[in-house]
Amino acid sequence: MFTAKIVATLVPDPNNEAVIGGTWDGKAFGPVPARPVGDLAAAVKAEAGWRIAAILPAWKQRNLLARAVELLDKGRPAWTQAETDEAAGAQALWDRVKAIRAASDTLEVSLTGMGDDQLRAVDPTDDKHWPE
């Protein structure tokens, strides 16, 4: 079971509103700094990896590959209907993986053109960035 600990710091601002994060220069709180693009890109890759593993864990990917080799060796014309259906199901799973990878690539490329305010707003875990 995966567990995560989330820590947030409430920082007061001049309008007496609470904001998450911020910087402290010894006298006053400043704005939340933007995450470096490299950190965000790594977070995007990690999120994509998690989403891929959720639908097709590593062990299942290995089994899928091994079975594909067996079917390739047999040759498509010799497949039974069950093997044809099996291959179609495997391809559907792999298409989902490819869609996640494509979404990850798109999000990573978009980071390079963003300003600090946009980078602050990026949440790689937000479902809006991902298929399904």
Side-chain angles (χ1 to χ4, degrees):
M1 178 179 186
F2 177 78
T3 59
K5 180 179 179 183
I6 299 173
V7 178
T9 305
L10 292 177
V11 179
D13 75 357
N15 298 320
N16 293 322
E17 297 172 354
V19 295
I20 302 293
T23 58
W24 176 255
D25 66 5
K27 298 178 186 171
F29 287 101
V32 176
R35 291 171 70 178
V37 171
D39 288 355
L40 277 170
V44 169
K45 287 180 190 305
E47 182 65 20
W50 178 87
R51 288 172 182 266
I52 289 169
I55 60 167
L56 199 57
W59 66 268
K60 202 170 201 177
Q61 291 179 41
R62 289 189 299 275
N63 289 346
L64 186 73
L65 178 60
R67 184 62 176 141
V69 170
E70 291 174 346
L71 291 174
L72 181 63
D73 188 48
K74 184 174 182 179
R76 188 180 296 251
W79 289 358
T80 65
Q81 184 59 50
E83 289 168 330
T84 300
D85 295 344
E86 179 185 6
Q91 185 62 55
L93 283 172
W94 197 246
D95 288 344
R96 291 174 66 192
V97 169
K98 292 189 304 185
I100 292 169
R101 288 181 174 164
S104 175
D105 291 345
T106 299
L107 183 53
E108 288 175 52
V109 168
S110 74
L111 297 174
T112 59
M114 291 184 182
D116 284 352
D117 288 342
Q118 291 169 307
L119 289 171
R120 281 186 204 95
V122 172
D123 177 6
T125 65
D126 191 330
D127 289 338
K128 73 180 181 183
H129 301 297
W130 306 102
E132 298 176 27

